[in-house]
Amino acid sequence: MIAALLLTVLLAVLAVFQVALILGAPIGHFAWGGQHQVLPTRLRVGSAVSILIYAVIALAAFDRAGQVDVFPGAFSAVTMWVVFAYFVLGIGMNAISRSKPERYTMAPLCLVLSVLSFLVARL
């Protein structure tokens, strides 16, 4: 349960970050390859989709931890393993970013998210 809660808290922080990007905050060097200070419309849409994905991940984590019953059968178990793989991939993708701020913040954050999602997936 603690891992699911920590995972959700970090996803909520990321959601706030994505909202800031959507609203035009000049922090784009931390996201989407770091090529834009202020995101263009297509990447703002991507940030909005990211927030929806974070919400599904949080629901799956709490479902897997037995705190809610939202998804049928083994859906949350499979989903959390997919989420784990997604965050492991995110470590590599952020680590090779041309943007130093993205490399030095998002790669370690993905590492933490991957460990937490692994712990939730193993429940």
Side-chain angles (χ1 to χ4, degrees):
M1 173 58 188
I2 293 172
L5 182 60
L6 291 173
L7 177 64
T8 301
V9 167
L10 288 177
L11 291 173
V13 170
L14 280 174
V16 170
F17 169 72
Q18 296 292 353
V19 167
L21 289 170
I22 292 166
L23 295 176
I27 53 175
H29 54 282
F30 286 98
W32 301 107
Q35 301 303 307
H36 307 278
Q37 282 294 100
V38 175
L39 296 185
T41 300
R42 66 183 172 81
L43 293 179
R44 291 180 190 203
V45 170
S47 287
V49 171
S50 293
I51 293 168
L52 295 174
I53 292 170
Y54 300 157
V56 171
I57 293 169
L59 277 175
F62 281 126
D63 190 83
R64 184 71 181 136
Q67 299 305 305
V68 297
D69 188 15
V70 180
F71 299 114
F75 180 84
S76 63
V78 172
T79 299
M80 287 313 301
W81 285 111
V82 170
V83 167
F84 167 66
Y86 171 76
F87 286 133
V88 168
L89 178 64
I91 296 167
M93 296 303 291
N94 285 298
I96 64 171
S97 174
R98 292 181 191 159
S99 166
K100 282 185 181 181
E102 185 175 25
R103 267 196 319 264
Y104 295 138
T105 58
M106 295 305 177
L109 180 60
C110 277
L111 175 63
V112 172
L113 290 168
S114 66
V115 168
L116 291 170
S117 60
F118 175 78
L119 293 172
V120 173
R122 287 190 52 219
L123 293 175

